[in-house]
Amino acid sequence: MVIQLIIDFHTHCFPEKIAKNTIEKLSFVSGGLIPQTDGTKESLLFLMSKDGVDKSVALSIATNANQQTKVNDFAISLKSEKLIPFGSIFPFSDDWENELEGLKENGIKGIKLHPDYQQFFVDDERLFPIYKKIESLGFILVFHAGEDFGFAPPYKATPERLRKVATFIETPVVCAHWGSLSMGEDVLKYLCDIDNCYFDTAFGYGTMPKDRALRILDKKGTDKILFGSDSPWNAPSWDIGMIKTMGLSFDEEEKIFYKNAEKLLRL
C-alpha cells in the first residue's frame, strides 16, 4: 500500500530578497550545513514536489522586535493550497499581543518560537502570559527544542524546561526534532507522558539514533508524532526514508506522515 499524503510539519523559507544571505549566514553559524533549497518559497515547493510532499507547514521566527511585523506579513503571504504558514512573535516586543491577534484574524494556525535565537529560557515565567494568550487564541505552539548547531550551551528549551510549559497550558505544544535535538534520553524522561505534547521528526536523519527513535515511539506512541524534515537543512526524502526503517505498521506510518497533522491542523 502507498501512503496517500505527506504533510511536512517543519520547513522554512524566506523572502526572495533576503533568502540567499539568510541561508548563507545560517549555514555558516551552524558549522557548514549544506542547504537543500536556496531558501525561497519557489525552491521549497520544487523540493516538495521532487520528494513527494503534498503540504508543508512553513515556520518563521521573529528574532527582534523590529522585524516582527515583516516576518508575519511574509508568513501570511505564503498561505496557499500547498503551504500552511505559522507566524512568530518576539516575546519582548511591546506589541506582541496585537501581533498575535492580527495573525489570528488572518487565519494563521500556529506560532513558532525559538528560545535560543530569541534569547529566552522557555520556562521563564515572564513568558507565561504569552503562552496563555496563545492558548486563548487557539494557536498551535511550536518550539525549537534541544540543542541548536549554531549555539553553545546552556540550551534554552530542554525537555525538563519544556515540560513546565506543556503542563501549564492545554494548547498543543509541538517540540521539534523528536522532542529535543540530541536530548533523547531526557525526552523519554520528561515529555513522553504529556498528552498535549507532540514531537516532530525534523532533522532526525543523521542526528537521531534509530534505537533512541524506536524507544521514543514505543513510549510516546504514534498518535502525537508529526513528520517533519527541517527543509532546507534536510531533504524530506531523507527523513521519509528514516521513518520507513522503523518497522511501523501502515496505519502507524499514515498517522506520522499525515493523519496526525491533518487532525491537528483541522484540514
Side-chain angles (χ1 to χ4, degrees), residues 93-127:
S93 67
D94 293 333
D95 59 345
W96 63 264
E97 191 166 9
N98 290 334
E99 201 71 26
L100 286 174
E101 291 173 352
L103 287 166
K104 184 66 176 180
E105 290 170 4
N106 279 281
I108 298 300
K109 297 186 177 186
I111 302 298
K112 169 73 183 289
L113 298 177
H114 194 310
D116 294 292
Y117 274 103
Q118 296 177 308
Q119 290 297 298
F120 67 90
F121 284 95
V122 71
D123 57 344
D124 184 334
E125 291 189 0
R126 292 178 297 170
L127 276 293

Side-chain angles (χ1 to χ4, degrees), residues 62-77:
T63 58
N64 61 63
N66 293 331
Q67 69 173 207
Q68 180 175 247
T69 299
K70 290 181 180 179
V71 164
N72 288 325
D73 286 346
F74 175 68
I76 292 165
S77 77

